[in-house]
Amino acid sequence: MRVVLNVVWLVFGGIWLALAYVVAGVICCILVVTIPWGIASFRIANYVLWPFGRTVVSRPTAGVGSLLGNVVWILVAGIWLVIGHIVTAIAQAVTIIGIPLAIANLKVIPVTLAPLGKEIVPSDRPFVTAYGAYRPS
């Protein structure tokens, strides 16, 4: 079922949303100081391409740097990407088939607003060790 949802997602919004993240990542990497945001943007683009079967967990070891970085991200790119997610979710929710896609679209918004200090892991193993690293079983 995950594969079917991911393919439908890819066709009806995933490609365009991932391209938006790639554009934001390229812009961030061109401005050398913002490379960490560019890497986070590429990581989210990968997640947005194939979201079903994966989830986002917070890293407890992320510190004040992640918090400040997320504030900068929200002001520069995060708000525009969130608007893209909301518009896409509204368009997807028009049909019954698109409702699960719209819900998934809204679930991506928290990582879009605060990408630093987050990790994307398979949804069947979403736990974090005491040191904040993902540990597969």
Side-chain angles (χ1 to χ4, degrees):
M1 190 64 172
R2 288 181 192 166
V3 174
V4 172
L5 282 172
N6 279 321
V7 170
V8 173
W9 167 269
L10 192 63
V11 172
F12 292 109
I15 290 175
W16 302 111
L17 290 169
L19 283 175
Y21 283 103
V22 168
V23 167
V26 167
I27 291 171
C28 287
C29 286
I30 288 173
L31 308 169
V32 176
V33 176
T34 56
I35 287 176
W37 291 280
I39 293 169
S41 185
F42 293 139
R43 188 176 65 235
I44 299 170
N46 182 21
Y47 176 56
V48 167
L49 274 177
W50 210 253
F52 295 98
R54 297 193 284 177
T55 189
V56 178
V57 295
S58 295
R59 289 187 310 196
T61 58
V64 175
S66 291
L67 176 69
L68 295 175
N70 284 331
V71 169
V72 171
W73 171 260
I74 289 169
L75 296 175
V76 174
I79 195 71
W80 301 109
L81 292 168
V82 167
I83 291 170
H85 278 289
I86 292 171
V87 168
T88 306
I90 291 169
Q92 289 170 337
V94 171
T95 65
I96 293 173
I97 295 171
I99 291 173
L101 304 177
I103 292 169
N105 219 337
L106 297 176
K107 286 183 180 180
V108 176
I109 290 178
V111 75
T112 300
L113 281 176
L116 302 177
K118 302 273 173 43
E119 203 168 345
I120 299 165
V121 298
S123 59
D124 56 348
R125 292 176 268 180
F127 66 92
V128 178
T129 66
Y131 299 106
Y134 168 69
R135 187 185 73 190
S137 54

